[in-house]
Amino acid sequence: MDHQPHFKRHLVPADTQPDALLGDSAVTALYVIGAVVSLVAAWAIATFNTLVRARNRVDESWSGVDVQLKRRHDLVPNLVAAVEGYARHESGTLEAATQARAQARAAGAGGPASRGAVESALSGVLSQVRAVAERYPELAASNNFRQLQLQLAEVEDEIQGARNIFNSNVEFLNTKIQSFPNSLVAGLASFRERDFFEVDLPAERRPREVSFA
Amino acid sequence: MTGTPSPGDLGPANADATRALRLKEITHGRVFGYALGLGMLGALAAAILAESLIVAVAGPVAVVVAVLAIAFAVADRRAAQDFFSAFAASHGFTYLRRYELMTFTPLLGAGDRRHCDRYMEGPLSAERHEVRCSLANYTFEVKHESRDADGDVDTTWDPHHFTICTADLEAGMGLYPGVFLAPRRGFISKMGEGNWLRGRNFRKVELESSQFAERYDLFIDPALDELRLRELFSPSFIAWLSGHPIEPCFEYKAGMLVVYVSGHTEDGGHLQWLLDASRDIVKRFEAEIGEESRSAA
């Protein structure tokens, strides 16, 4: 203990210093345990932050889906009005479209699973409206209807894009939560797996042309 | 591959496709025969003068190897020329072997010296001749100087290769002061000299996609409105970029769009992919610029 700095000798008597009390191997073991604990803590913090980031991305991308779905809801009344002017006796289909839109709007606060079902129903009705329009050449040729069709196709492309982003974010989060040893941190911090958003879109049945303009 | 390629002619599939044919042409040519014959005579003369059996045996072998290596290099260059001139002709591009671009964007101004090889220029798409583009193998080099034991300066150049497609989009200059979509880098790569965006006053932006974040780093000029950027990066655009097989990156500054991928691309499929990706990115910018001008009107 001759090599101890002067100030240390004042603070701790030589016979009570750690080396003297525990022995060299015990001190080494303490250092190793300390290093391991620090590493584990650093890993847990990093994993926790990754999970938080992944969860925030899921929430953020769900808002993106929501915005695009609302854009579609806003187009439906115009589309119905445009068709109504030419095809008054197709009121059954048009009423169904209005109802499906109302249900979709009402489900606005719901989660991906419940919204997927009502949005798919709306897609189905909108396909019927398109089919109706094809039976009326004047309607199909009208500028207003064609413009609405284009807008609807564009919005459906964006819904598809937003859904892809959301689902890949959910997949990323769920994989992180399920995989070991991340699952330990996820369990302790109460991270929950999320549902995927499944929705039928007419855009997916159209011949694919790269267009996000 | 002696005929001049014409538009519509697909030409060789890549820069190696006609190499064997070119090598055959060269090795069956008169020049190759003369070079081989003269080389042999020189090697024999050297052996006689040196009175060495080793030179007599190794000399001709060395001559054959050297002449074949030169023939291979020439064939390789000609095959590349065949491919790039055919690709340029089939797309209505003019072809230049070497060119230097203006340093509009950070990538085009990176390093200490830079140049383009296999430079092609023409319309971005057959339907729209007014949008011009250039496609090239681009290299920027970083200079390293060191002193040896005698104090002499030893200069080496560290090259970084890319394949780029540039297009003029002046209409968006005021709306987008600077958008830089770069490949995602790890910590070490971020600090490296190959990171031409390092040390610039750009702001990093996080978008909502994990897939996108795993692939790209997005930076913007601080003067750019982030809301406008988010409109440009629509969900379908993000999803498209995140899933694109060639992982196209781009820079937009001063009205110049540069779409790029890492490495020199020497096959038709990948060049076409880059060209198509550039076309789609230009469309995306144009759609947003059009939207903005409609709103302003």
Side-chain angles (χ1 to χ4, degrees), chain A residues 54 57 60-61 64 68 157-158 161-162 164-165 168-169 172 209-213, chain B residues 206-211 213-214 230 234-240 280 283-284 287:
Chain A
R57 280 211 176 105
E60 201 183 335
S61 55
Q68 300 306 331
D157 278 340
E158 291 305 330
N164 289 352
I165 293 171
S168 68
N169 287 349
F172 183 82
E209 182 194 334
V210 177
S211 169
F212 33 69
Chain B
E206 293 274 345
L207 296 180
E208 67 267 31
S209 167
S210 305
Q211 241 183 337
E214 280 185 341
R230 288 183 186 275
S234 66
S236 60
F237 190 43
I238 296 173
W240 177 80
D280 290 334
K283 265 193 210 168
R284 181 70 207 119

Side-chain angles (χ1 to χ4, degrees), chain B residues 192-210:
Chain B
E193 61 188 16
N195 181 10
W196 64 96
L197 294 173
R198 187 180 55 152
R200 288 177 186 262
N201 181 29
F202 295 148
R203 190 149 50 91
K204 192 174 177 191
V205 178
E206 293 274 345
L207 296 180
E208 67 267 31
S209 167
S210 305

Side-chain angles (χ1 to χ4, degrees), chain B residues 21-206:
Chain B
L21 191 71
R22 287 297 192 183
L23 188 62
K24 196 175 162 192
E25 273 175 17
I26 293 166
T27 52
H28 285 72
R30 225 180 266 171
V31 177
F32 182 79
Y34 286 145
L36 211 55
L38 287 172
M40 290 290 192
L41 284 175
L44 282 175
I48 290 164
L49 284 173
E51 294 179 2
S52 161
L53 187 63
I54 296 169
V55 175
V57 175
V61 174
V63 166
V64 171
V65 170
V67 172
L68 273 176
I70 292 167
F72 186 85
V74 172
D76 193 54
R77 209 184 59 217
R78 285 185 189 168
Q81 169 83 12
D82 289 339
F83 165 68
F84 283 101
S85 52
F87 186 89
S90 67
H91 289 75
F93 290 161
T94 49
Y95 174 66
L96 297 167
R97 283 194 58 195
R98 209 172 166 96
Y99 197 76
E100 279 186 27
L101 287 165
M102 301 280 278
T103 58
F104 282 111
T105 74
L107 176 63
L108 298 185
D112 298 300
R113 69 179 186 193
R114 49 207 81 85
H115 67 271
C116 289
D117 292 309
R118 288 90 180 245
Y119 179 85
M120 296 174 262
E121 193 181 86
L124 183 60
S125 69
E127 305 83 47
R128 297 188 53 208
H129 281 253
E130 74 278 11
V131 183
R132 311 288 294 176
C133 77
S134 48
L135 193 62
N137 283 343
Y138 169 77
T139 304
F140 76 78
E141 293 173 282
V142 180
K143 191 178 178 181
H144 292 281
E145 282 184 342
S146 57
R147 287 188 184 276
D148 60 17
D150 302 329
D152 297 328
V153 177
D154 186 20
T155 306
T156 53
W157 293 90
D158 186 15
H160 299 270
H161 303 295
F162 300 87
T163 305
I164 60 169
C165 180
T166 71
D168 288 333
L169 260 178
E170 284 173 25
M173 211 156 47
L175 295 175
Y176 304 102
V179 183
F180 312 98
L181 183 68
R184 192 186 171 195
R185 293 174 187 278
F187 180 74
I188 294 169
S189 171
K190 227 176 251 177
M191 294 294 126
E193 61 188 16
N195 181 10
W196 64 96
L197 294 173
R198 187 180 55 152
R200 288 177 186 262
N201 181 29
F202 295 148
R203 190 149 50 91
K204 192 174 177 191
V205 178
E206 293 274 345

